[in-house]
Amino acid sequence: MSLVEILLCIFLPPVAVAIKKGVGLDLLINIICCFFFWIGGVIHAFWVLNQK
């Protein structure tokens, strides 16, 4: 994971997920997580970006 990806995960989690996975279910889940609880979106973004 690069420094840019880490910063995106912290400050703009949906953008980080969209860049890595594209528009799909992961992005929708991340947007919902960010809407209800921002830290949940950050955790989900790190989880998605760390998957192989």
Side-chain angles (χ1 to χ4, degrees):
M1 214 178 344
S2 70
L3 180 62
V4 173
E5 289 176 332
I6 292 170
L7 290 174
L8 280 174
C9 282
I10 294 170
F11 295 110
L12 298 169
V15 173
V17 173
I19 290 172
K20 183 70 172 189
K21 292 285 190 167
V23 178
L25 184 61
D26 286 323
L27 179 61
L28 181 63
I29 291 170
N30 191 268
I31 290 171
I32 291 170
C33 287
C34 286
F35 181 73
F36 288 114
F37 189 59
W38 180 72
I39 298 297
V42 172
I43 292 169
H44 180 261
F46 274 112
W47 180 69
V48 168
L49 266 67
N50 281 324
Q51 287 181 346
K52 299 259 175 182

